[in-house]
């Protein structure tokens, strides 16, 4: 049921949708969808919470205390969050416990620290008609922020949007993914417990074309913070263009992982394996194009295939499972279609490629070798456990292949040469480059991409900028200038 205006309320909506367990294919729960009337009510209430309500009067120090309290409550509920995340998404239990939840907690704490430190600037300006001037800037909350999240890591990606927006005093309306909404609903109850006043935070469950579209079209929304596919990102950009509302778009990727001949090959094989198989490959920054220097190609590929063979596919709640199920039947069909295309276009299937018999949306960890960058499996985002391995002959060729993509989100370099590492990092087109590790996540580090990978940055100081408007104030003083 939707949560807005400080209470759980299904409003006038009678529409519902089912949330399915990707492992058993059974219905987990049926939720009421927020319709246009509930979207309108949530936006109006958020607006008045900011303009005339308690939230608009809450100062930075108090917001920081609430965010810290929220982080504590999430920490206490880690087990529940992790269980719901595995149930909803099909990811193995260690992932939310080791990655998503620690990230969520750190993100709320990090932005709690910013809440009373968002300062403006004092800028020296010349005199005006012989009178001295005093100019400064202030950063004000952008207003009502619609946060729309995808199903692959909804809790963590939600935190990336919610924490900075609440820290600076925006009102946030979260539209969680229809396939995995459960942790977002749990979060709403903790936000309330943490003491945030009504209207500061709302959650509107529902499908994209219904709730999502109504939210992005609503003129009372000042900013849309979206993470999802480029196709939906385009719709968000078009909707936001009306009124030139602000957007942050975190979209897909086809990120290269470049393995040079001087890399520690075992460390690289492990890291590259995590880069493509973590979270079933349903990761925007998945290192799905694996570029390998020709002299070490055979040896590296053998190690990486060994890594894939060690992956234990199964029920996320079974001990030892290292890869779970994909999110839904549609995703299995999509990934299987790419595997067929890889075979048809002439790449060598090295491991995996099948959907195991029985219930559940499982696909084996899959690697294609001897591929070229022009193949469909090297160009389009698969969003599943499928890695495409491409050999290269020179450093410049590796950079050229890496940059020959419609996407520019992340890149990973594996080399023991520090000069090469930083030199190539500057040449690769990506929002984030990791050297000898895969996509280190941290709320202090700005995150985002360009080209089809999106627009703007979240996290770090960039997360504060993305949720504030900088206002310039100039006072002309009636005070004589010194002779
Ligand atoms: P999606 O675009 O289908 O859905 C994302 C969200 O948008 C969902 O909440 C959905 O309900 C909503 N939505 C769908 N249509 C909408 C509409 N017309 N108006 C408003 N909202 C709408 O994407 P997905 O399948 O959930 O997620 C997978 C995609 O997300 C992949 O392309 C992946 O790369 C990307 N992703 C990017 C990042 C990143 O940080 N760059 C992180 C995770 C996922």
């Amino acid at each position: 049921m939707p949560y807005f205006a400080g209470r759980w309320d299904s409003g006038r909506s009678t529409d519902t949708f089912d949330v399915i367990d990707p492992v058993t294919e059974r219905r987990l729960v049926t939720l009421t969808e927020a319709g246009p009337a509930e979207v309108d009510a949530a936006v109006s209430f958020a607006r008045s919470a900011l303009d005339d309500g308690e939230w608009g009067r809450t100062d930075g120090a108090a917001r920081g205390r609430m965010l810290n309290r929220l982080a504590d409550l999430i920490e206490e509920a880690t087990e529940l969050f992790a269980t719901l995340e595995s149930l909803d998404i099909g990811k193995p239990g260690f992932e939310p416990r080791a990655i998503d939840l620690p990230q969520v907690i750190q993100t709320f704490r990090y932005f709690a620290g910013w809440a009373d430190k968002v300062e403006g600037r004092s800028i020296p300006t010349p005199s005006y008609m012989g009178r001295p001037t005093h100019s400064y800037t202030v950063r004000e909350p952008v207003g009502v922020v619609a946060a729309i999240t995808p199903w692959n890591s909804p809790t963590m990606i939600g935190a990336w949007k919610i924490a900075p927006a609440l820290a600076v005093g925006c009102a946030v309306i979260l539209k969680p993914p229809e396939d995995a909404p459960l942790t977002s609903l749990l979060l709403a109850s903790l936000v309330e417990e943490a003491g945030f006043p009504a209207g500061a935070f709302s959650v509107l469950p529902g499908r994209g074309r219904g709730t999502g579209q109504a939210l992005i079209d609503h003129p009372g929304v000042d900013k849309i913070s979206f993470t999802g596919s480029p196709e939906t990102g385009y719709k968000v950009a078009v909707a936001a263009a009306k009124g030139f509302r602000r957007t942050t778009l975190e979209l897909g990727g086809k990120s290269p992982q470049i393995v040079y001949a001087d890399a520690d090959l075992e460390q690289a094989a492990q890291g590259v394996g995590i880069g493509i198989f973590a979270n079933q490959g349903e990761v925007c920054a998945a290192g799905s194009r694996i570029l390998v220097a020709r002299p070490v190609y055979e040896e590296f590929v053998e190690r990486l295939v060994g890594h894939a063979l060690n992956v234990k596919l199964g029920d996320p709640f079974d001990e030892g499972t290292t890869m779970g199920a994909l999110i839904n039947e549609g995703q299995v069909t999509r990934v299987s279609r790419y595997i067929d295309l890889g075979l048809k276009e002439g790449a060598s299937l090295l491991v995996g490629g099948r959907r195991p018999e029985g219930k559940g949306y499982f696909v084996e960890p899959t690697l294609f070798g001897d591929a070229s960058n022009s193949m469909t499996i090297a160009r389009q985002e698969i969003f599943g456990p499928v890695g495409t391995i491409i050999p290269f002959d020179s450093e410049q060729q590796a950079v050229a292949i890496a940059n020959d993509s419609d996407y520019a989100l992340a890149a990973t370099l594996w080399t023991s040469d520090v000069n090469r590492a930083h030199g190539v990092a500057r040449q690769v087109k990506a929002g984030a480059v990791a050297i000898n590790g895969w996509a280190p996540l941290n709320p202090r580090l700005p995150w985002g991409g360009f080209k089809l990978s999106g627009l703007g940055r979240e996290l770090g100081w960039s997360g504060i900028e993305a949720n504030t408007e900088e206002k310039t104030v100039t006072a002309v003083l009636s005070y004589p200038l010194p002779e």
Side-chain angles (χ1 to χ4, degrees):
M1 166 183 315
Y3 173 84
F4 61 98
R7 59 198 168 91
W8 299 93
D9 188 354
S10 50
R12 279 190 269 144
S13 176
T14 49
D15 288 339
T16 59
F17 64 100
D18 290 340
V19 182
I20 305 295
D21 176 352
V23 174
T24 62
E25 302 183 26
R26 283 205 295 260
R27 185 175 63 88
L28 282 171
V29 65
T30 299
L31 295 178
T32 305
E33 177 166 78
E38 292 71 46
V39 168
D40 190 44
V43 174
S44 307
F45 199 87
R47 163 72 44 209
S48 44
L50 274 179
D51 293 347
D52 343 289
E54 193 187 333
W55 183 234
R57 294 191 296 271
T58 306
D59 69 18
R63 296 195 299 268
R65 281 196 298 278
M66 289 173 196
L67 285 165
N68 271 322
R69 172 87 183 114
L70 178 59
D72 293 345
L73 291 170
I74 296 170
E75 194 164 38
E76 285 162 24
T78 293
E79 276 308 300
L80 183 53
F81 270 104
T83 304
L84 288 178
E85 190 99 325
S86 287
L87 205 58
D88 231 4
I89 298 156
K91 61 170 90 182
F94 71 88
E95 284 188 359
R97 285 172 183 81
I99 303 166
D100 301 66
L101 266 301
Q103 277 299 317
V104 169
I105 295 159
Q106 277 182 45
T107 301
F108 279 108
R109 293 207 171 116
Y110 171 78
F111 283 105
W114 268 121
D116 61 355
K117 298 175 192 68
V118 179
E119 295 165 351
R121 299 177 284 164
S122 169
I123 301 167
T125 40
S127 62
Y128 172 85
M129 292 187 176
R131 291 154 68 195
T133 57
H134 169 51
S135 299
Y136 60 94
T137 68
V138 283
R139 284 202 168 269
E140 298 178 343
V142 73
V144 176
V145 173
I148 301 180
T149 46
W151 45 259
N152 60 332
S153 288
T155 323
M156 183 175 78
I157 293 170
W160 293 357
K161 300 181 181 312
I162 300 160
L166 290 179
V168 299
C170 293
V172 179
I173 302 176
L174 174 66
K175 207 296 281 170
E178 54 270 47
D179 284 298
L182 300 183
T183 56
S184 303
L185 296 170
L186 174 59
L187 184 70
S189 62
L190 299 189
V191 168
E192 195 172 35
E193 203 180 327
F196 286 87
F201 182 67
S202 314
V203 178
L204 301 180
R207 285 161 286 204
R209 264 181 244 149
T211 315
Q213 190 71 44
L215 192 56
I216 64 177
D217 283 340
H218 199 295
V221 168
D222 299 298
K223 177 187 171 167
I224 306 162
S225 176
F226 172 79
T227 298
S229 60
E231 294 74 23
T232 314
Y234 178 77
K235 290 181 193 163
V236 170
V238 169
K242 288 179 207 131
F244 301 116
R245 292 172 299 144
R246 302 181 101 201
T247 54
T248 312
L249 303 174
E250 305 292 350
L251 311 176
K254 195 72 200 175
S255 300
Q257 306 203 65
I258 311 179
V259 181
Y260 288 98
D262 61 4
D264 175 330
L265 291 189
E266 189 43 43
Q267 194 190 58
Q270 276 222 354
V272 169
I274 294 170
I276 181 57
F277 296 136
N279 207 30
Q280 300 76 241
E282 296 168 319
V283 177
C284 54
S288 52
R289 286 188 299 148
I290 303 160
L291 317 185
V292 186
R294 188 92 58 188
V296 295
Y297 185 83
E298 297 299 332
E299 187 186 343
F300 176 80
V301 168
E302 194 179 316
R303 286 176 195 255
L304 187 60
V305 168
H307 182 96
L309 291 170
N310 278 335
V311 170
K312 193 163 176 295
L313 193 63
D315 188 320
F317 293 96
D318 287 351
E319 192 135 335
T321 294
T322 56
M323 188 188 283
L326 301 188
I327 189 73
N328 55 31
E329 186 66 44
Q331 197 64 12
V332 175
T333 307
R334 174 191 165 105
V335 172
S336 305
R337 187 171 57 82
Y338 279 111
I339 293 172
D340 290 345
L341 270 170
L343 290 168
K344 212 177 281 170
E345 291 182 3
S348 326
L349 181 65
L350 302 174
V351 61
R354 287 168 310 179
R355 175 185 194 168
E357 299 271 307
K359 284 273 178 210
Y361 307 127
F362 294 97
V363 171
E364 291 176 340
T366 300
L367 290 172
F368 280 104
D370 297 314
S372 85
N373 200 44
S374 59
M375 291 177 178
T376 311
I377 53 169
R379 304 216 67 84
Q380 294 183 10
E381 185 181 43
I382 300 175
F383 219 57
V386 182
T388 301
I389 313 175
I390 304 168
F392 68 84
D393 293 301
S394 71
E395 191 160 305
Q396 283 319 307
Q397 191 195 10
V399 172
I401 297 173
N403 289 345
D404 177 15
S405 175
D406 293 336
Y407 293 98
L409 183 59
T412 311
L413 313 177
W414 300 89
T415 174
S416 56
D417 180 339
V418 70
N419 294 306
R420 165 181 287 154
H422 291 288
V424 174
R426 289 195 180 197
Q427 291 181 53
V428 169
K429 292 193 192 313
V433 179
I435 298 166
N436 293 329
W438 175 71
L441 292 169
N442 196 293
R444 293 160 192 81
L445 302 174
W447 178 251
F450 49 102
K451 299 205 231 172
L452 275 192
S453 295
L455 200 68
R457 295 291 179 273
E458 296 186 307
L459 300 180
W461 169 251
S462 308
I464 299 293
E465 281 185 330
N467 287 286
T468 48
E469 294 287 0
E470 190 173 33
K471 177 184 280 176
T472 303
V473 181
T474 297
V476 181
L477 307 176
S478 295
Y479 191 79
L481 283 172
E483 291 297 315

